[in-house]
Coordinates of all heavy atoms in Angstrom, one line a residue:
M1004 N -18.0 -7.0 7.6 CA -16.6 -6.8 7.8 C -16.1 -5.8 6.7 O -15.4 -4.9 6.9 CB -15.8 -8.1 7.7 CG -14.3 -7.9 7.8 SD -13.4 -9.4 7.5 CE -13.3 -9.4 5.7
Q1005 N -16.6 -6.1 5.4 CA -16.2 -5.2 4.3 C -16.6 -3.7 4.6 O -15.9 -2.8 4.3 CB -16.7 -5.7 3.0 CG -15.9 -6.9 2.5 CD -16.4 -7.3 1.1 OE1 -17.6 -7.1 0.7 NE2 -15.5 -7.8 0.3
Q1006 N -17.8 -3.6 5.1 CA -18.4 -2.3 5.4 C -17.5 -1.6 6.4 O -17.2 -0.4 6.3 CB -19.8 -2.3 5.8 CG -20.5 -1.0 6.0 CD -21.9 -1.0 6.4 OE1 -22.4 -2.1 6.9 NE2 -22.6 0.1 6.2
Q1007 N -17.1 -2.3 7.5 CA -16.3 -1.7 8.5 C -14.9 -1.3 8.0 O -14.4 -0.2 8.3 CB -16.2 -2.6 9.7 CG -15.6 -1.9 10.9 CD -15.5 -2.8 12.1 OE1 -15.5 -4.0 12.0 NE2 -15.3 -2.2 13.3
I1008 N -14.4 -2.2 7.1 CA -13.1 -1.8 6.5 C -13.2 -0.6 5.6 O -12.3 0.3 5.6 CB -12.5 -3.0 5.7 CG1 -12.1 -4.2 6.6 CG2 -11.4 -2.6 4.8 CD1 -11.7 -5.4 5.9
G1009 N -14.3 -0.5 4.9 CA -14.5 0.7 4.0 C -14.6 1.9 4.8 O -14.0 3.0 4.5
I1010 N -15.4 1.9 5.9 CA -15.6 3.1 6.7 C -14.2 3.4 7.4 O -13.9 4.6 7.4 CB -16.6 2.8 7.8 CG1 -18.0 2.7 7.2 CG2 -16.6 3.9 8.9 CD1 -19.1 2.1 8.1
A1011 N -13.5 2.4 7.8 CA -12.2 2.7 8.4 C -11.2 3.3 7.4 O -10.4 4.2 7.8 CB -11.6 1.4 9.0
A1012 N -11.2 2.8 6.2 CA -10.4 3.3 5.2 C -10.7 4.8 4.9 O -9.7 5.6 4.7 CB -10.5 2.5 3.9
I1013 N -11.9 5.1 4.8 CA -12.3 6.5 4.6 C -11.9 7.4 5.8 O -11.4 8.5 5.6 CB -13.8 6.6 4.4 CG1 -14.2 6.0 3.0 CG2 -14.3 8.1 4.4 CD1 -15.7 5.8 2.8
T1014 N -12.1 6.9 7.0 CA -11.8 7.6 8.2 C -10.3 7.9 8.3 O -9.8 9.0 8.6 CB -12.2 6.9 9.5 OG1 -13.7 6.7 9.4 CG2 -11.9 7.6 10.7
M1015 N -9.5 6.8 7.9 CA -8.0 6.9 7.9 C -7.6 8.0 6.9 O -6.7 8.8 7.2 CB -7.4 5.6 7.6 CG -5.9 5.5 7.8 SD -5.3 3.8 7.5 CE -5.3 3.8 5.7
T1016 N -8.2 8.0 5.8 CA -7.9 9.0 4.7 C -8.2 10.4 5.2 O -7.4 11.3 5.0 CB -8.6 8.6 3.4 OG1 -8.3 7.3 3.0 CG2 -8.2 9.6 2.3
L1017 N -9.4 10.5 5.8 CA -9.8 11.9 6.3 C -8.8 12.3 7.4 O -8.5 13.5 7.4 CB -11.2 11.8 6.8 CG -12.3 11.6 5.8 CD1 -13.7 11.4 6.4 CD2 -12.3 12.8 4.8
G1018 N -8.4 11.4 8.2 CA -7.4 11.8 9.3 C -6.1 12.3 8.7 O -5.6 13.3 9.1
R1019 N -5.7 11.6 7.6 CA -4.4 12.0 7.0 C -4.6 13.3 6.2 O -3.7 14.2 6.3 CB -4.0 10.8 6.0 CG -2.9 11.2 5.0 CD -1.6 11.7 5.6 NE -1.1 10.9 6.7 CZ 0.0 11.3 7.4 NH1 0.7 12.4 7.1 NH2 0.4 10.5 8.3
L1020 N -5.7 13.4 5.5 CA -6.0 14.7 4.8 C -6.1 15.9 5.7 O -5.6 16.9 5.4 CB -7.2 14.5 3.9 CG -7.2 13.6 2.7 CD1 -8.5 13.5 2.1 CD2 -6.2 14.2 1.7
G1021 N -6.7 15.7 6.9 CA -6.9 16.7 7.9 C -5.5 17.2 8.4 O -5.3 18.4 8.5
Q1022 N -4.6 16.2 8.6 CA -3.3 16.6 9.1 C -2.5 17.3 8.1 O -1.8 18.3 8.3 CB -2.6 15.3 9.6 CG -3.1 14.6 10.8 CD -2.5 13.3 11.1 OE1 -1.4 13.3 11.7 NE2 -3.1 12.2 10.6
T1023 N -2.6 16.8 6.8 CA -1.8 17.4 5.7 C -2.3 18.8 5.5 O -1.5 19.7 5.1 CB -2.0 16.5 4.4 OG1 -1.6 15.2 4.7 CG2 -1.2 17.1 3.3
A1024 N -3.6 19.0 5.6 CA -4.2 20.3 5.4 C -4.0 21.3 6.6 O -4.4 22.5 6.5 CB -5.7 20.2 5.0
G1025 N -3.5 20.7 7.7 CA -3.3 21.6 8.9 C -4.6 21.9 9.6 O -4.6 22.9 10.3
L1026 N -5.6 21.0 9.5 CA -6.8 21.3 10.2 C -6.6 21.1 11.7 O -5.8 20.3 12.1 CB -7.9 20.3 9.7 CG -8.3 20.5 8.2 CD1 -9.4 19.5 7.8 CD2 -8.7 21.9 7.8
I1027 N -7.4 21.7 12.5 CA -7.3 21.6 13.9 C -8.6 21.1 14.5 O -9.7 21.3 14.0 CB -6.9 23.0 14.6 CG1 -7.9 24.1 14.2 CG2 -5.5 23.4 14.3 CD1 -7.7 25.4 14.8
P1028 N -8.5 20.3 15.7 CA -7.3 20.0 16.4 C -6.5 18.9 15.7 O -7.0 17.9 15.4 CB -7.7 19.6 17.7 CG -9.1 19.0 17.5 CD -9.7 19.8 16.4
D1029 N -5.2 19.1 15.5 CA -4.4 18.2 14.8 C -4.4 16.8 15.4 O -4.4 15.8 14.7 CB -2.9 18.7 14.7 CG -2.0 17.8 14.0 OD1 -2.2 17.6 12.7 OD2 -1.1 17.2 14.6
H1030 N -4.4 16.7 16.7 CA -4.3 15.4 17.4 C -5.6 14.6 17.1 O -5.6 13.4 17.2 CB -4.0 15.5 18.9 CG -5.1 16.2 19.7 ND1 -5.2 17.5 19.8 CD2 -6.1 15.6 20.3 CE1 -6.2 17.8 20.6 NE2 -6.8 16.7 20.9
G1031 N -6.7 15.3 16.9 CA -8.0 14.7 16.6 C -7.9 13.9 15.2 O -8.4 12.8 15.1
Y1032 N -7.3 14.6 14.2 CA -7.1 14.0 12.9 C -6.1 12.9 13.0 O -6.3 11.8 12.4 CB -6.7 15.0 11.9 CG -7.9 15.9 11.5 CD1 -8.1 17.1 12.2 CD2 -8.8 15.5 10.6 CE1 -9.2 17.9 11.9 CE2 -9.9 16.3 10.3 CZ -10.1 17.5 10.9 OH -11.2 18.3 10.6
A1033 N -5.0 13.1 13.8 CA -4.0 12.0 14.0 C -4.6 10.8 14.6 O -4.4 9.6 14.2 CB -2.8 12.5 14.8
A1034 N -5.5 11.0 15.6 CA -6.1 9.9 16.3 C -7.1 9.2 15.4 O -7.1 7.9 15.4 CB -6.9 10.5 17.5
A1035 N -7.8 9.9 14.5 CA -8.7 9.2 13.6 C -7.9 8.3 12.7 O -8.3 7.2 12.4 CB -9.4 10.3 12.8
E1036 N -6.8 8.8 12.2 CA -5.9 8.0 11.2 C -5.4 6.8 11.9 O -5.5 5.7 11.4 CB -4.8 8.9 10.7 CG -3.9 8.1 9.7 CD -2.7 8.8 9.3 OE1 -2.3 9.8 9.9 OE2 -2.1 8.4 8.3
I1037 N -4.9 6.9 13.1 CA -4.3 5.8 13.8 C -5.3 4.8 14.2 O -5.1 3.6 14.1 CB -3.4 6.3 15.0 CG1 -2.2 7.1 14.5 CG2 -3.0 5.1 15.9 CD1 -1.5 7.9 15.6
E1038 N -6.4 5.2 14.8 CA -7.4 4.3 15.3 C -8.0 3.5 14.1 O -8.2 2.3 14.2 CB -8.6 5.1 16.0 CG -8.1 5.7 17.3 CD -7.9 4.8 18.5 OE1 -8.2 3.6 18.3 OE2 -7.5 5.2 19.5
A1039 N -8.3 4.2 13.0 CA -8.9 3.6 11.8 C -7.9 2.6 11.2 O -8.3 1.5 10.8 CB -9.3 4.6 10.8
M1040 N -6.6 2.9 11.2 CA -5.6 2.0 10.7 C -5.5 0.8 11.5 O -5.4 -0.3 11.0 CB -4.2 2.7 10.6 CG -3.2 1.9 9.9 SD -1.7 2.9 9.5 CE -1.1 3.2 11.2
Q1041 N -5.7 0.9 12.8 CA -5.6 -0.3 13.7 C -6.8 -1.2 13.4 O -6.6 -2.4 13.5 CB -5.5 0.1 15.1 CG -4.1 0.7 15.5 CD -4.0 1.2 16.9 OE1 -5.0 1.3 17.6 NE2 -2.8 1.5 17.3
V1042 N -7.9 -0.6 13.1 CA -9.1 -1.5 12.8 C -8.8 -2.2 11.5 O -9.1 -3.5 11.4 CB -10.4 -0.6 12.6 CG1 -11.5 -1.4 12.0 CG2 -10.8 0.0 14.0
I1043 N -8.3 -1.6 10.5 CA -8.0 -2.2 9.2 C -6.9 -3.3 9.4 O -7.0 -4.4 8.9 CB -7.6 -1.2 8.2 CG1 -8.8 -0.3 7.8 CG2 -7.1 -1.9 6.9 CD1 -8.4 0.9 7.0
Q1044 N -5.9 -2.9 10.2 CA -4.8 -3.9 10.4 C -5.3 -5.2 11.1 O -4.9 -6.3 10.7 CB -3.7 -3.2 11.3 CG -2.5 -4.1 11.5 CD -1.4 -3.4 12.4 OE1 -1.6 -2.2 12.7 NE2 -0.4 -4.2 12.7
Q1045 N -6.2 -5.1 12.1 CA -6.8 -6.2 12.7 C -7.5 -7.1 11.7 O -7.4 -8.3 11.7 CB -7.7 -5.8 13.9 CG -6.9 -5.3 15.1 CD -7.9 -4.8 16.1 OE1 -9.1 -4.7 16.0 NE2 -7.3 -4.3 17.2
H1046 N -8.3 -6.5 10.9 CA -9.1 -7.3 9.9 C -8.1 -7.9 8.9 O -8.3 -9.1 8.5 CB -10.0 -6.3 9.1 CG -11.3 -6.0 9.8 ND1 -12.2 -7.0 10.2 CD2 -11.8 -4.8 10.3 CE1 -13.2 -6.4 10.8 NE2 -13.0 -5.1 10.9
L1047 N -7.1 -7.2 8.5 CA -6.1 -7.8 7.5 C -5.4 -9.0 8.1 O -5.3 -10.0 7.5 CB -5.1 -6.8 7.1 CG -5.6 -5.7 6.1 CD1 -4.5 -4.6 5.9 CD2 -6.0 -6.3 4.8
E1048 N -4.9 -8.9 9.3 CA -4.2 -9.9 10.0 C -5.0 -11.2 10.2 O -4.6 -12.3 10.0 CB -3.6 -9.5 11.3 CG -2.4 -8.5 11.1 CD -1.9 -7.9 12.4 OE1 -2.6 -8.1 13.5 OE2 -0.9 -7.2 12.4
Q1049 N -6.3 -11.0 10.5 CA -7.2 -12.1 10.7 C -7.8 -12.7 9.5 O -8.0 -13.9 9.4 CB -8.4 -11.6 11.6 CG -7.9 -11.4 13.1 CD -9.0 -10.7 13.9 OE1 -10.2 -10.7 13.5 NE2 -8.7 -10.2 15.1
H1050 N -8.1 -11.9 8.5 CA -8.9 -12.4 7.3 C -8.2 -12.3 6.0 O -8.6 -12.9 5.0 CB -10.2 -11.6 7.3 CG -11.0 -11.7 8.5 ND1 -11.6 -12.9 9.0 CD2 -11.3 -10.8 9.5 CE1 -12.2 -12.6 10.2 NE2 -12.0 -11.4 10.5
A1051 N -7.1 -11.5 5.9 CA -6.6 -11.3 4.5 C -5.1 -11.0 4.6 O -4.5 -10.0 4.1 CB -7.2 -10.1 3.8
P1052 N -4.3 -12.0 5.2 CA -2.9 -11.8 5.2 C -2.2 -11.8 3.9 O -1.1 -11.2 3.7 CB -2.4 -13.0 6.0 CG -3.5 -14.0 5.9 CD -4.7 -13.3 5.8
E1053 N -2.9 -12.3 2.8 CA -2.3 -12.3 1.5 C -2.3 -10.9 0.9 O -1.7 -10.7 -0.2 CB -3.1 -13.3 0.6 CG -4.5 -12.8 0.1 CD -5.5 -13.0 1.2 OE1 -5.2 -13.4 2.3 OE2 -6.7 -12.7 0.9
A1054 N -3.0 -10.0 1.5 CA -3.1 -8.6 0.9 C -1.7 -8.0 0.9 O -1.5 -7.1 0.1 CB -4.0 -7.7 1.8
F1055 N -0.7 -8.5 1.6 CA 0.6 -7.9 1.7 C 1.5 -8.5 0.6 O 2.6 -8.0 0.4 CB 1.3 -8.0 3.0 CG 0.6 -7.2 4.1 CD1 -0.2 -7.8 5.0 CD2 0.8 -5.9 4.2 CE1 -0.8 -7.1 6.0 CE2 0.2 -5.1 5.1 CZ -0.6 -5.7 6.1
S1056 N 1.1 -9.6 0.0 CA 2.0 -10.3 -0.9 C 2.0 -9.6 -2.3 O 0.9 -9.3 -2.9 CB 1.6 -11.7 -1.1 OG 1.9 -12.4 0.1
N1057 N 3.2 -9.5 -2.9 CA 3.3 -9.0 -4.2 C 4.6 -9.5 -4.8 O 5.6 -8.9 -4.7 CB 3.3 -7.4 -4.3 CG 3.3 -6.9 -5.7 OD1 2.6 -7.5 -6.6 ND2 4.0 -5.9 -6.0
G1058 N 4.6 -10.7 -5.3 CA 5.8 -11.3 -5.8 C 6.7 -11.7 -4.7 O 6.3 -12.1 -3.6
E1059 N 8.0 -11.6 -4.9 CA 9.0 -12.0 -3.9 C 9.0 -11.0 -2.8 O 9.4 -11.4 -1.7 CB 10.4 -12.1 -4.6 CG 10.5 -13.1 -5.7 CD 10.6 -12.6 -7.0 OE1 11.3 -11.5 -7.2 OE2 10.2 -13.2 -8.0
A1060 N 8.8 -9.7 -3.1 CA 8.8 -8.7 -2.0 C 7.5 -8.7 -1.2 O 6.4 -9.1 -1.8 CB 9.0 -7.4 -2.6
R1061 N 7.5 -8.5 0.1 CA 6.3 -8.4 0.9 C 5.8 -6.9 0.8 O 6.1 -6.1 1.7 CB 6.6 -8.7 2.3 CG 7.0 -10.2 2.5 CD 5.7 -11.1 2.6 NE 5.0 -10.8 3.8 CZ 3.8 -11.2 4.0 NH1 3.1 -11.9 3.1 NH2 3.2 -11.0 5.2
L1062 N 5.1 -6.6 -0.3 CA 4.6 -5.3 -0.5 C 3.1 -5.4 -0.7 O 2.5 -6.4 -1.0 CB 5.2 -4.7 -1.8 CG 6.7 -4.4 -1.8 CD1 7.2 -4.3 -3.2 CD2 6.9 -3.1 -1.0
P1063 N 2.4 -4.2 -0.5 CA 1.0 -4.2 -0.7 C 0.7 -4.6 -2.2 O 1.4 -4.2 -3.1 CB 0.6 -2.8 -0.4 CG 1.6 -2.3 0.4 CD 2.9 -2.9 0.0
R1064 N -0.4 -5.4 -2.4 CA -0.7 -5.9 -3.7 C -1.6 -4.8 -4.4 O -2.8 -4.8 -4.3 CB -1.5 -7.2 -3.6 CG -1.6 -8.0 -4.9 CD -1.6 -9.5 -4.7 NE -2.4 -9.9 -3.6 CZ -3.7 -10.4 -3.7 NH1 -4.2 -10.4 -4.9 NH2 -4.3 -10.8 -2.7
L1065 N -1.0 -4.0 -5.1 CA -1.7 -2.9 -5.8 C -2.5 -3.3 -7.0 O -3.5 -2.6 -7.4 CB -0.8 -1.8 -6.2 CG 0.0 -1.1 -5.0 CD1 0.9 0.0 -5.6 CD2 -1.0 -0.5 -4.0
S1066 N -2.2 -4.5 -7.5 CA -3.0 -5.0 -8.6 C -4.4 -5.2 -8.3 O -5.3 -5.1 -9.2 CB -2.4 -6.4 -9.1 OG -2.4 -7.3 -8.1
A1067 N -4.7 -5.4 -7.0 CA -6.1 -5.6 -6.6 C -6.9 -4.3 -6.8 O -8.1 -4.2 -6.8 CB -6.2 -6.0 -5.1
L1068 N -6.2 -3.1 -6.9 CA -6.8 -1.8 -7.2 C -6.6 -1.4 -8.6 O -7.0 -0.3 -9.0 CB -6.1 -0.8 -6.3 CG -6.2 -0.9 -4.8 CD1 -5.4 0.1 -4.0 CD2 -7.7 -0.8 -4.4
G1069 N -6.1 -2.4 -9.5 CA -6.0 -2.1 -10.9 C -4.8 -1.2 -11.1 O -4.7 -0.5 -12.2
I1070 N -3.8 -1.2 -10.2 CA -2.6 -0.3 -10.3 C -1.4 -1.2 -10.6 O -1.1 -2.2 -9.8 CB -2.4 0.5 -9.1 CG1 -3.6 1.4 -8.9 CG2 -1.1 1.3 -9.1 CD1 -3.6 2.1 -7.5
R1071 N -0.6 -1.0 -11.7 CA 0.6 -1.7 -11.9 C 1.7 -1.3 -11.0 O 2.0 -0.1 -10.9 CB 1.0 -1.5 -13.4 CG 2.3 -2.3 -13.8 CD 2.5 -2.4 -15.2 NE 2.7 -1.1 -15.9 CZ 3.2 -0.9 -17.1 NH1 3.6 -2.0 -17.8 NH2 3.3 0.3 -17.6
A1072 N 2.4 -2.3 -10.4 CA 3.5 -2.0 -9.5 C 4.7 -2.9 -9.8 O 4.4 -4.1 -10.2 CB 3.1 -2.1 -8.1
C1073 N 5.9 -2.5 -9.6 CA 7.1 -3.3 -9.7 C 7.0 -4.4 -8.6 O 6.8 -4.0 -7.4 CB 8.3 -2.5 -9.6 SG 9.8 -3.5 -9.6
R1074 N 7.2 -5.6 -8.9 CA 7.1 -6.7 -7.9 C 8.3 -6.7 -7.0 O 8.3 -7.4 -6.0 CB 6.9 -8.1 -8.6 CG 8.1 -8.6 -9.4 CD 7.8 -10.0 -9.8 NE 8.8 -10.5 -10.8 CZ 8.5 -10.7 -12.1 NH1 7.3 -10.4 -12.5 NH2 9.4 -11.1 -12.9
H1075 N 9.4 -6.0 -7.3 CA 10.6 -5.9 -6.5 C 10.5 -4.7 -5.5 O 10.8 -4.9 -4.3 CB 11.8 -5.9 -7.3 CG 12.0 -7.1 -8.1 ND1 12.3 -8.4 -7.6 CD2 11.9 -7.3 -9.5 CE1 12.3 -9.2 -8.6 NE2 12.1 -8.6 -9.7
C1076 N 10.2 -3.5 -6.0 CA 10.4 -2.3 -5.2 C 9.0 -1.7 -4.9 O 8.9 -0.8 -4.1 CB 11.3 -1.4 -5.8 SG 10.7 -0.5 -7.3
G1077 N 8.0 -2.0 -5.7 CA 6.7 -1.5 -5.4 C 6.4 -0.1 -6.1 O 5.3 0.5 -5.9
C1078 N 7.3 0.4 -7.0 CA 7.0 1.6 -7.6 C 5.9 1.5 -8.6 O 5.6 0.4 -9.0 CB 8.3 2.2 -8.3 SG 8.8 1.3 -9.8
T1079 N 5.3 2.6 -9.0 CA 4.1 2.6 -9.9 C 4.3 3.6 -11.0 O 5.3 4.4 -11.0 CB 2.8 2.9 -9.1 OG1 2.9 4.2 -8.6 CG2 2.6 1.9 -7.9
D1080 N 3.3 3.7 -11.9 CA 3.4 4.7 -12.9 C 3.4 6.1 -12.3 O 4.2 7.0 -12.7 CB 2.2 4.6 -13.9 CG 2.3 3.4 -14.8 OD1 3.4 3.3 -15.4 OD2 1.4 2.7 -15.0
A1081 N 2.6 6.3 -11.3 CA 2.5 7.7 -10.7 C 3.6 7.9 -9.7 O 4.1 9.1 -9.6 CB 1.2 7.8 -9.9
I1082 N 4.1 6.9 -9.0 CA 5.2 7.1 -8.0 C 6.3 6.2 -8.4 O 6.4 5.1 -7.9 CB 4.7 6.7 -6.6 CG1 3.3 7.4 -6.3 CG2 5.7 7.1 -5.6 CD1 3.3 8.9 -6.1
G1083 N 7.2 6.7 -9.3 CA 8.3 5.9 -9.7 C 9.5 5.9 -8.7 O 9.4 6.6 -7.7
C1084 N 10.6 5.3 -9.1 CA 11.8 5.3 -8.2 C 12.4 6.6 -8.2 O 12.2 7.4 -9.1 CB 12.8 4.3 -8.8 SG 12.3 2.5 -8.6
P1085 N 13.0 7.0 -7.1 CA 13.6 8.3 -6.9 C 14.6 8.7 -8.1 O 14.6 9.9 -8.5 CB 14.4 8.2 -5.6 CG 13.7 7.1 -4.9 CD 13.2 6.1 -5.9
E1086 N 15.3 7.7 -8.6 CA 16.3 8.0 -9.7 C 15.6 7.9 -11.0 O 16.3 8.2 -12.0 CB 17.4 7.0 -9.6 CG 17.1 5.5 -9.9 CD 16.6 4.8 -8.7 OE1 16.2 5.4 -7.7 OE2 16.6 3.5 -8.7
G1087 N 14.3 7.6 -11.1 CA 13.6 7.5 -12.4 C 13.7 6.1 -12.9 O 14.7 5.5 -12.7
C1088 N 12.6 5.6 -13.5 CA 12.6 4.3 -14.1 C 11.6 4.1 -15.1 O 10.7 5.0 -15.3 CB 12.4 3.3 -12.9 SG 10.8 3.5 -12.1
T1089 N 11.7 3.0 -15.9 CA 10.7 2.7 -16.9 C 10.4 1.2 -16.7 O 11.1 0.5 -16.0 CB 11.2 2.9 -18.3 OG1 12.4 2.1 -18.5 CG2 11.5 4.4 -18.5
W1090 N 9.3 0.8 -17.4 CA 8.9 -0.7 -17.3 C 9.8 -1.4 -18.3 O 9.9 -1.1 -19.4 CB 7.5 -0.9 -17.6 CG 6.6 -0.2 -16.6 CD1 5.8 0.9 -16.8 CD2 6.3 -0.5 -15.3 NE1 5.1 1.3 -15.7 CE2 5.4 0.4 -14.7 CE3 6.9 -1.5 -14.4 CZ2 5.0 0.3 -13.4 CZ3 6.4 -1.6 -13.1 CH2 5.5 -0.7 -12.6
I1091 N 10.4 -2.5 -17.8 CA 11.2 -3.4 -18.7 C 10.5 -4.7 -18.8 O 10.8 -5.6 -19.6 CB 12.6 -3.6 -18.2 CG1 12.7 -4.3 -16.8 CG2 13.4 -2.3 -18.2 CD1 14.0 -4.8 -16.4
A1092 N 9.5 -5.0 -18.0 CA 8.6 -6.2 -18.1 C 7.3 -5.8 -17.4 O 7.2 -4.7 -16.9 CB 9.3 -7.4 -17.4
E1093 N 6.3 -6.7 -17.5 CA 5.0 -6.3 -17.0 C 5.0 -5.8 -15.6 O 4.4 -4.8 -15.3 CB 4.1 -7.6 -17.1 CG 2.7 -7.3 -16.7 CD 2.0 -6.2 -17.4 OE1 2.3 -5.9 -18.6 OE2 1.1 -5.5 -16.8
E1094 N 5.8 -6.4 -14.7 CA 5.8 -5.9 -13.3 C 7.3 -5.7 -12.8 O 7.6 -6.0 -11.6 CB 5.1 -6.9 -12.4 CG 3.6 -7.0 -12.6 CD 2.9 -7.9 -11.7 OE1 3.5 -9.0 -11.3 OE2 1.7 -7.7 -11.3
V1095 N 8.2 -5.3 -13.7 CA 9.6 -5.1 -13.3 C 10.0 -3.7 -13.9 O 9.9 -3.5 -15.1 CB 10.5 -6.2 -13.9 CG1 11.9 -5.9 -13.4 CG2 10.0 -7.5 -13.4
C1096 N 10.5 -2.8 -13.0 CA 11.0 -1.6 -13.5 C 12.5 -1.6 -13.8 O 13.2 -2.5 -13.3 CB 10.6 -0.4 -12.5 SG 11.8 -0.3 -11.1
S1097 N 13.0 -0.6 -14.5 CA 14.4 -0.6 -14.9 C 15.3 -0.6 -13.7 O 16.4 -1.1 -13.8 CB 14.7 0.5 -15.9 OG 14.2 1.8 -15.3
S1098 N 14.9 0.0 -12.6 CA 15.8 0.1 -11.4 C 16.0 -1.3 -10.8 O 17.0 -1.6 -10.2 CB 15.2 0.9 -10.3 OG 15.0 2.3 -10.8
C1099 N 15.1 -2.2 -11.1 CA 15.2 -3.6 -10.5 C 15.5 -4.6 -11.5 O 15.3 -5.8 -11.3 CB 13.8 -3.9 -9.9 SG 13.4 -2.8 -8.5
A1100 N 16.1 -4.2 -12.7 CA 16.4 -5.2 -13.7 C 17.4 -6.2 -13.2 O 17.2 -7.4 -13.4 CB 17.1 -4.4 -14.9
G1101 N 18.4 -5.8 -12.4 CA 19.3 -6.8 -11.8 C 18.7 -7.7 -10.9 O 18.9 -8.9 -10.9
A1102 N 17.8 -7.2 -10.0 CA 17.1 -8.0 -9.0 C 16.3 -9.1 -9.7 O 16.2 -10.2 -9.2 CB 16.2 -7.1 -8.2
D1103 N 15.7 -8.7 -10.9 CA 14.8 -9.7 -11.6 C 15.7 -10.8 -12.1 O 15.4 -12.0 -12.1 CB 14.1 -9.0 -12.7 CG 12.9 -9.9 -13.1 OD1 12.2 -10.4 -12.2 OD2 12.7 -10.1 -14.3
K1104 N 16.9 -10.4 -12.7 CA 17.8 -11.4 -13.2 C 18.3 -12.4 -12.1 O 18.3 -13.6 -12.3 CB 19.0 -10.7 -13.8 CG 19.7 -11.4 -15.0 CD 20.9 -10.5 -15.5 CE 21.1 -10.6 -16.9 NZ 22.1 -9.7 -17.4
D1105 N 18.7 -11.8 -11.0 CA 19.2 -12.6 -9.8 C 18.1 -13.6 -9.4 O 18.4 -14.7 -9.0 CB 19.6 -11.7 -8.7 CG 20.8 -10.8 -9.0 OD1 21.5 -11.1 -10.0 OD2 21.0 -9.8 -8.3
A1106 N 16.9 -13.1 -9.4 CA 15.8 -13.9 -8.8 C 15.5 -15.1 -9.7 O 15.1 -16.2 -9.3 CB 14.5 -13.1 -8.7
R1107 N 15.9 -15.0 -11.0 CA 15.5 -16.1 -11.9 C 16.7 -17.1 -12.1 O 16.5 -18.2 -12.6 CB 15.2 -15.5 -13.3 CG 13.8 -14.9 -13.3 CD 13.4 -14.3 -14.6 NE 12.2 -13.6 -14.5 CZ 11.6 -13.0 -15.6 NH1 12.1 -13.1 -16.8 NH2 10.5 -12.4 -15.4
T1108 N 17.9 -16.7 -11.7 CA 19.1 -17.6 -11.9 C 19.3 -18.4 -10.6 O 18.7 -18.2 -9.6 CB 20.3 -16.8 -12.2 OG1 20.6 -15.8 -11.2 CG2 20.2 -16.2 -13.6
Ligands
LIG137 ZN1 11.4 -1.7 -9.2
LIG138 ZN1 10.9 1.8 -10.3

């Protein structure tokens, strides 16, 4: 199962990269991305539904990849909030400071 997920993840990425780079035929790369994503989705739903959990929000759990993410909005060091943000706690960004307060009271 892990091997098939790995192959599907690579295929999905190649499909996305091909489309982004404008490779042709475009629909071939789009098909690769969509088909591979459906394979991964089926595995996730059957065997790893917890992969979507990240604190109170239902976000992908990036910590499994060693990436710090805000537990409320999912922003990361590389992809911050549109208005800009900083870390105010281990997994809380400044944009979500109010959300964190509300969640604890
Ligand atoms: Zn946030
Ligand atoms: Zn943020």
Side-chain angles (χ1 to χ4, degrees):
M1004 182 187 82
Q1005 283 186 327
Q1006 186 180 19
Q1007 193 180 17
I1008 290 174
I1010 292 168
I1013 291 168
T1014 302
M1015 191 175 79
T1016 303
L1017 291 174
R1019 167 53 52 183
L1020 289 174
Q1022 292 173 83
T1023 303
L1026 299 181
I1027 53 175
D1029 181 67
H1030 68 273
Y1032 287 95
E1036 181 185 17
I1037 292 166
E1038 295 284 357
M1040 187 168 66
Q1041 287 177 350
V1042 168
I1043 293 172
Q1044 185 179 352
Q1045 285 172 359
H1046 282 297
L1047 286 174
E1048 287 172 354
Q1049 288 172 13
H1050 305 291
E1053 75 280 5
F1055 292 106
S1056 286
N1057 186 39
E1059 295 112 32
R1061 292 278 293 165
L1062 290 163
R1064 193 150 42 98
L1065 297 181
S1066 60
L1068 297 172
I1070 298 169
R1071 177 165 64 164
C1073 176
R1074 66 171 169 257
H1075 298 290
C1076 72
C1078 74
T1079 64
D1080 284 314
I1082 313 291
C1084 289
E1086 67 273 20
C1088 61
T1089 58
W1090 297 111
I1091 61 165
E1093 182 55 31
E1094 291 181 328
V1095 182
C1096 80
S1097 53
S1098 300
C1099 297
D1103 200 45
K1104 210 180 214 176
D1105 294 344
R1107 288 180 184 182
T1108 54

